[in-house]
Amino acid sequence: TLMVRNVPVMYTQEMLLEEWKHAGTIDFLHLPRTVNRKTNLSYAFINFASEADALAFQAAWHNKRVAQFTSRRKLSISFAEVQGLQA
C-alpha cells in the first residue's frame, strides 16, 4: 500500500483511476474527502496486487505532477505505515 501526497484537491477518485489506468493492478484506492465532499484532503492510499506493481508505480509517479488542475506541488509517494487490504 502506498500513500500519495499532494494530490490536487479538485481530483476525484474516478479521475485518479483514469489517469493511473496503466499503472499496474490497483485493487484499492481511497481518496478521503472533506466533510462537505467538495474537495479531497490532498492525499490518497493506493493498494496494488503485487509489490512489483507498487514499486513500478512509485518509480513512475514520484515527484511527478498529475495532468489536470495544475499544481505547484509534485506527488510524494511513500509506503503506507499499514500494508494490505485487510488493514
Side-chain angles (χ1 to χ4, degrees):
T1 303
L2 298 176
M3 182 174 191
V4 181
R5 292 178 181 86
N6 302 328
V7 175
V9 296
M10 297 307 291
Y11 260 80
T12 65
Q13 189 165 321
E14 293 75 20
M15 293 165 78
L16 288 176
L17 286 171
E18 179 64 26
E19 186 148 351
W20 295 336
K21 65 184 170 190
H22 301 294
T25 307
I26 296 171
D27 57 10
F28 179 76
L29 173 64
H30 177 59
L31 181 66
R33 308 285 295 175
T34 58
V35 174
N36 61 13
R37 313 260 321 144
K38 291 187 178 182
T39 60
N40 71 61
L41 296 176
S42 193
Y43 67 90
F45 291 99
I46 183 169
N47 193 71
F48 292 87
S50 72
E51 183 179 0
D53 283 344
L55 290 170
F57 178 87
Q58 185 180 35
W61 285 95
H62 184 67
N63 283 326
K64 301 288 192 295
R65 290 185 177 90
V66 287
Q68 297 181 27
F69 305 114
T70 305
S71 173
R72 293 178 293 170
R73 302 180 91 188
K74 297 177 183 177
L75 297 178
S76 175
I77 301 173
S78 59
F79 283 95
E81 215 171 288
V82 180
Q83 293 290 308
L85 282 175
Q86 289 71 31

